[in-house]
């Protein structure tokens, strides 16, 4: 685990001092070691740099950039099955100088080329320079656990684990992308492949980017896509067979993520996902597993449940009940940690629990992905009900219904914004075939209300574009929503949050529920194995009940949140006053500043219905003042 950064400069102008500045900005990701090298590759110079957090082979043998047989690499992440791959390579005649997984990647690439990626179980973002082919190979893991940004304009290509490293380069042009801004206000994050600046992108998970240094051509290759498994034929297995296989995959995934030469712990909330991880790892374990949880004076507080679960499992549990003052102190630092506008308020407790864990361990397992993989969100059922209701409208009546909804929206009073948003979403979805109807309604649900969109922004603001092929045939609308959530919300929100929060304190976060073997298998199971109609996460819950009594786990889902909107009307209201004013809003993004200020006044009085817009507005303005002043 670490931070990586570097460049490809066809003008040979970037100095080692600049490369050093780029990697220094990532020292929080890797405080144990730093490496910087510039390679002259004919018509281009290549900069490779790494800030290392030593996890596997903590000796100097794991130093990067690492070189082997005309290859050079910088690598962020872990290959959990590196020992098995290493042994296979030894049997093929390879000799190793270290015990690191980084060296295994180099040898595997030399042996199998890009096909080596299919052997890797892990999280990764790496850059390999192949001097024999004069190519740059860039690859990101299947689920998108590890981040990768890049910038390409003219004769310069930059890359980094975080956007702040690219900003250190004097030729980086920080022009805001209007499309990315609109996506942020719709979703609360900037989805890959977009990035907040123009000519800047995030490499999509499951993708490999090849750059030919001779002719500067690029290839974006897809080696894994979760939608392929949701649309594949369902497995013909009994529920009992499926439960056994999921259990075995969970055990394998959890055990792999304990591979480390430094202490490892688990984030424990008391819910089913983290309980599954902690229970599986504590079972038949001689020493006590270290578990960590955060509690709050107000808001959702899962600490008592986590403490009860930890006591039953027998873990070495640490709990921190945070004061509101401690939680609120995180907010001003969020723009620095996240580089882009980012509006998931649960980043606050995630940073706090990371700080707690870092006092005892260097690696923490986080049980993200359970809701997306095992159909745990209650909104899936509500989405399905809406689709079924709209599908009951005969096709011949859908166009007239669309016109009727347009008339209703036109005559609604301006104050009925929430009702208008729902009706506009139905209007946009209803005149479609069933497949397109589901996608259109999903987009409408995750879009900024048009009454806000058209008044707030200068440029025309498109609705989100969810990368689901229209030809994909899902078993039902819920599995389509699950695939979209995996590719958008999970990857761009949840995993971004956990990566930046853990890395802010030099803590490696690992995701056992996002092992691709588990994802591929569960996606192909019949939907009623995951959700029976009465029970969400059915198969996962039945596995957990083998470790923890159902009566102990049978409680409402609470989530991991803080009362941010109450704070914004009280103690944190100073941030609104500081960052949301006519003067601060007078830039290239916002068209009707008076309209925006009126929204803020309504919110402060408790009259504004679409509260997420206020938090997103504040996060955008704080980010803008932090990063757009260079």
């Amino acid at each position: 685990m670490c931070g990586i950064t570097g460049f490809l400069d066809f003008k040979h102008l970037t100095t080692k001092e600049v490369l050093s500045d780029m990697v220094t900005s990532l020292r929080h990701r890797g405080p144990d070691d730093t490496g910087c090298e510039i390679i002259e590759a004919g018509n281009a110079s290549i900069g490779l740099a790494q800030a290392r957090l030593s996890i596997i082979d903590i000796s100097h043998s794991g130093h990067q950039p690492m070189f082997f047989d005309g290859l050079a690499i910088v690598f962020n992440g872990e290959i959990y099955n590196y020992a098995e791959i290493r042994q296979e390579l030894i049997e093929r005649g390879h000799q190793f100088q270290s015990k690191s997984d980084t060296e295994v990647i180099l040898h595997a690439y030399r042996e199998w080329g890009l096909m080596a990626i299919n052997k890797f179980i892990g999280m990764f973002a790496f850059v390999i320079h192949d001097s024999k082919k004069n190519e740059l190979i860039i690859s990101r893991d299947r689920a998108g656990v590890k981040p990768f940004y890049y910038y390409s304009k003219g004769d310069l290509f930059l890359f980094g684990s975080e956007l702040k490293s690219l900003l250190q380069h004097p030729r980086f042009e920080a022009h805001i992308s209007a499309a990315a801004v609109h996506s942020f206000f719709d979703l609360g994050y900037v989805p890959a492949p977009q990035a907040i600046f123009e000519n800047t992108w995030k490499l999509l998970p499951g993708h490999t980017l090849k750059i030919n240094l001779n002719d500067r051509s690029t290839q974006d290759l897809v080696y894994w896509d979760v939608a392929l498994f949701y649309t594949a034929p369902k497995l013909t297995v009994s529920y009992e067979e499926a439960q056994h296989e999921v259990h075995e995959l969970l055990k394998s995934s959890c055990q792999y993520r304990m591979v480390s030469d430094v202490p490892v712990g688990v984030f424990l909330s008391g819910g089913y996902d983290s309980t599954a991880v902690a229970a599986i790892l504590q079972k038949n374990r001689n020493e006590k597993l270290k578990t960590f949880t955060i509690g709050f004076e107000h808001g959702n507080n899962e600490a008592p449940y986590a403490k009860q679960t930890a006591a039953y499992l027998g873990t070495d549990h640490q709990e921190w009940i945070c004061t509101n003052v401690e939680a609120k102190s995180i907010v001003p630092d969020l723009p620095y940690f996240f580089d882009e506008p980012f509006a998931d308020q649960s980043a606050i407790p995630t940073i706090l629990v990371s700080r707690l864990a870092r006092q005892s361990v260097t690696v923490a397992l986080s049980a993200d992905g359970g809701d997306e993989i095992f159909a745990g969100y209650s909104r899936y059922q509500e989405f399905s009900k809406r689709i079924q209701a709209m599908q009951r409208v005969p096709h011949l009546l859908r166009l007239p219904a669309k016109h009727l909804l347009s008339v209703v929206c036109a005559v609604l009073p301006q104050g009925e914004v929430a009702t208008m948003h729902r009706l506009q979403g139905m209007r946009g979805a209803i005149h479609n075939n069933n497949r397109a109807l589901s996608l259109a309604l999903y987009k409408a649900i995750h879009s900024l209300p048009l009454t806000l969109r058209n008044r707030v922004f200068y440029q025309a603001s498109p609705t989100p574009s969810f990368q689901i092929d229209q030809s994909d045939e899902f078993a039902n609308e819920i599995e389509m929503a699950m695939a979209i959530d995996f590719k958008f919300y999970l990857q761009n929100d949840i995993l971004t949050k956990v990566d930046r929060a853990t890395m802010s304190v030099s803590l490696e976060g690992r995701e056992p529920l996002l092992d691709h073997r588990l994802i591929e298998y569960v996606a192909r199971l019949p939907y009623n194995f995951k959700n029976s109609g009465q029970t969400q996460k059915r198969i996962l819950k039945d596995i957990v009940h083998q470790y923890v009594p159902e009566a102990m786990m049978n409680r409402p889902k609470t989530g991991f949140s803080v009362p941010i909107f109450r704070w914004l009307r009280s103690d944190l209201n100073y941030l609104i006053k500081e960052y949301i004013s006519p003067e601060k809003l007078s830039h290239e993004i916002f068209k009707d500043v008076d309209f925006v200020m009126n929204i803020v006044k309504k919110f402060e009085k408790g009259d504004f219905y679409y509260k997420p817009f206020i938090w997103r507005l504040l996060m955008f303005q704080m980010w803008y003042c932090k990063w757009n002043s260079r």
Side-chain angles (χ1 to χ4, degrees):
M1 175 64 75
C2 60
I4 61 174
T5 190
F7 62 83
L8 177 60
D9 188 348
F10 289 96
K11 288 188 175 180
H12 301 269
L13 296 177
T14 307
T15 65
K16 199 165 188 176
E17 287 73 23
V18 168
L19 183 60
S20 178
D21 290 342
M22 293 171 71
V23 74
T24 297
S25 72
L26 301 177
R27 286 287 290 172
H28 55 284
R29 296 186 70 94
D32 297 332
D33 185 25
T34 301
C36 287
E37 297 290 343
I38 292 181
I39 302 167
E40 293 300 330
N43 60 336
S45 58
I46 302 168
L48 301 176
Q50 184 215 37
R52 185 185 181 200
L53 179 63
S54 301
I55 303 294
I56 294 175
D57 190 352
I58 61 177
S59 73
H60 188 71
S61 298
H63 176 81
Q64 296 180 33
M66 187 176 288
F67 300 87
F68 165 71
D69 190 26
L71 302 174
I73 187 173
V74 283
F75 161 53
N76 173 26
E78 307 290 353
I79 306 300
Y80 302 120
N81 63 332
Y82 78 99
E84 295 98 302
I85 299 172
R86 185 177 189 270
Q87 183 58 42
E88 183 179 357
L89 288 164
I90 288 172
E91 292 171 0
R92 288 172 171 262
H94 289 254
Q95 297 181 347
F96 290 85
Q97 306 302 313
S98 74
K99 296 180 180 179
S100 72
D101 52 347
T102 308
E103 189 178 8
V104 169
I105 295 175
L106 283 176
H107 284 255
Y109 175 78
R110 181 53 78 212
E111 180 70 27
W112 297 296
L114 289 178
M115 298 302 293
I117 298 171
N118 298 321
K119 291 180 172 288
F120 299 157
I121 299 173
M123 54 181 186
F124 53 84
F126 61 75
V127 178
I128 293 176
H129 173 235
D130 186 340
S131 63
K132 294 180 180 179
K133 295 182 178 179
N134 207 21
E135 288 181 341
L136 214 60
I137 306 297
I138 303 166
S139 196
R140 190 177 177 200
D141 67 69
R142 301 167 181 87
V145 179
K146 291 295 96 190
F148 192 90
Y149 288 88
Y150 66 97
Y151 169 86
S152 181
K153 186 177 181 184
D155 295 304
L156 184 66
F157 178 93
L158 305 173
F159 68 86
S161 298
E162 295 182 16
L163 193 54
K164 58 176 63 71
S165 65
L166 280 60
L167 286 162
Q168 306 306 311
H169 197 286
R171 283 155 55 200
F172 180 87
E173 297 178 3
H175 301 307
I176 293 178
S177 164
V181 172
H182 299 154
S183 293
F184 166 73
F185 276 94
D186 276 321
L187 303 169
Y189 53 84
V190 179
Q194 289 180 326
I196 193 60
F197 294 118
E198 292 179 355
N199 303 308
T200 308
W201 297 270
K202 305 179 189 83
L203 182 63
L204 285 166
H207 281 234
T208 296
L209 187 66
K210 288 178 62 176
I211 304 176
N212 185 309
L213 275 60
N214 295 319
D215 60 14
R216 306 190 190 185
S217 62
T218 62
Q219 287 181 280
D220 190 349
L221 309 172
V222 183
Y223 71 88
W224 193 87
D225 186 342
V226 72
L228 296 177
F229 301 97
Y230 277 107
T231 56
K234 295 302 179 186
L235 297 171
T236 54
V237 294
S238 69
Y239 181 77
E240 291 72 21
E241 290 171 327
Q243 183 178 321
H244 173 78
E245 182 63 19
V246 170
H247 196 178
E248 292 302 309
L249 286 168
L250 281 169
K251 288 189 284 188
S252 173
S253 175
C254 289
Q255 291 297 339
Y256 263 134
R257 282 152 184 83
M258 293 298 287
V259 173
S260 173
D261 293 330
V262 294
V264 181
V266 175
F267 292 154
L268 180 63
S269 69
Y272 274 95
D273 300 341
S274 62
T275 297
V277 173
I280 287 170
L281 289 174
Q282 188 61 73
K283 183 76 171 178
N284 300 323
R285 193 177 188 84
N286 293 327
E287 69 276 18
K288 290 189 173 185
L289 182 73
K290 293 184 181 295
T291 54
F292 307 92
T293 194
I294 289 290
F296 295 96
E297 298 175 321
H298 304 287
N300 293 338
N301 185 13
E302 291 189 312
Y305 303 132
K307 188 174 184 178
Q308 181 186 29
T309 301
Y312 185 86
L313 295 176
T315 69
D316 178 6
H317 191 60
Q318 296 181 43
E319 174 186 279
W320 179 14
I321 304 299
C322 295
T323 66
N324 283 345
V325 172
E326 289 170 319
K328 293 169 191 173
S329 69
I330 299 292
V331 176
D333 293 328
L334 292 177
Y336 177 77
F337 294 144
F338 286 92
D339 288 346
E340 293 185 295
F342 186 77
D344 187 337
Q345 58 197 260
S346 65
I348 298 169
T350 308
I351 290 170
L352 290 169
V353 75
S354 297
R355 290 179 178 178
L356 172 64
R358 190 63 177 93
Q359 298 173 19
S360 305
V361 299
T362 312
V363 175
L365 276 60
S366 181
D368 301 297
D371 287 315
E372 291 79 6
I373 297 167
F374 293 103
Y377 291 125
S378 59
R379 66 173 183 261
Y380 290 145
Q381 297 303 114
E382 180 60 30
F383 178 68
S384 180
K385 289 177 183 177
R386 290 196 199 182
I387 292 295
Q388 290 171 19
M390 295 173 72
Q391 286 174 338
R392 285 194 287 269
V393 178
H395 282 277
L396 290 175
L397 296 181
R398 289 187 181 184
L399 184 56
K402 181 176 182 177
H403 292 323
L404 177 61
L405 288 170
S406 297
V407 172
V408 173
C409 289
V411 300
L412 271 178
Q414 286 190 341
E416 298 292 331
V417 182
T419 301
M420 186 176 294
H421 182 41
R422 287 193 290 269
L423 293 178
Q424 287 170 338
M426 292 175 62
R427 183 189 63 186
I430 197 168
H431 189 221
N432 283 294
N433 59 42
N434 290 343
R435 171 69 181 79
L437 184 151
S438 299
L439 187 56
L441 183 60
Y442 188 92
K443 290 174 69 172
I445 292 170
H446 292 82
S447 300
L448 196 68
L450 286 174
T451 49
L452 294 179
R453 176 191 304 277
N454 295 336
R455 292 287 298 274
V456 169
F457 299 115
Y458 272 113
Q459 300 186 30
S461 174
T463 57
S465 176
F466 296 109
Q467 293 158 349
I468 294 293
D469 194 318
Q470 289 286 343
S471 64
D472 286 344
E473 291 296 333
F474 292 91
N476 54 57
E477 63 276 358
I478 296 181
E479 294 209 342
M480 184 204 73
M482 291 169 65
I484 296 176
D485 275 348
F486 186 97
K487 298 178 74 167
F488 281 81
Y489 178 62
L490 175 66
Q491 293 177 351
N492 295 286
D493 185 309
I494 302 299
L495 296 182
T496 297
K497 174 189 67 179
V498 175
D499 176 80
R500 303 305 190 279
T502 54
M503 284 284 88
S504 72
V505 292
S506 306
L507 178 72
E508 173 169 295
R510 295 180 175 180
E511 303 286 358
L513 299 188
L514 295 181
D515 189 300
H516 72 278
R517 300 168 301 160
L518 178 66
I519 296 166
E520 292 170 5
Y521 185 80
V522 175
R524 290 176 291 154
L525 291 177
Y527 178 71
N528 66 341
F529 286 15
K530 292 165 271 190
N531 189 322
S532 66
Q534 302 296 322
T535 304
Q536 298 167 352
K537 296 184 182 177
R538 174 191 174 192
I539 197 165
L540 179 67
K541 288 181 177 181
D542 285 345
I543 291 169
V544 171
H545 295 157
Q546 297 178 35
Y547 297 88
V548 180
E550 182 176 358
M552 184 184 294
M553 298 299 300
N554 189 17
R555 52 180 177 264
K557 185 181 178 70
T558 58
F560 202 22
S561 62
V562 292
I564 194 68
F565 296 109
R566 180 161 57 81
W567 292 351
L568 289 177
R569 292 192 185 99
S570 55
D571 293 3
L572 291 183
N573 191 249
Y574 78 93
L575 291 173
I576 289 181
K577 303 299 184 193
E578 180 178 351
Y579 290 100
I580 304 178
S581 67
E583 295 74 25
K584 290 289 180 69
L585 293 173
S586 296
H587 50 68
E588 70 270 32
I589 300 301
F590 302 114
K591 177 173 64 175
D592 193 335
V593 172
D594 290 340
F595 177 74
V596 175
M597 291 305 302
N598 187 49
I599 286 174
V600 174
K601 289 176 184 177
K602 284 186 176 182
F603 166 76
E604 291 175 330
K605 294 177 183 178
D607 295 336
F608 184 55
Y609 89 100
Y610 195 69
K611 293 187 291 185
F613 177 79
I614 300 297
W615 180 242
R616 291 171 192 177
L617 178 63
L618 177 60
M619 288 295 97
F620 179 83
Q621 284 295 105
M622 291 177 67
W623 170 85
Y624 186 91
C625 293
K626 171 69 179 177
W627 290 112
N628 200 53
S629 58
R630 65 189 300 276

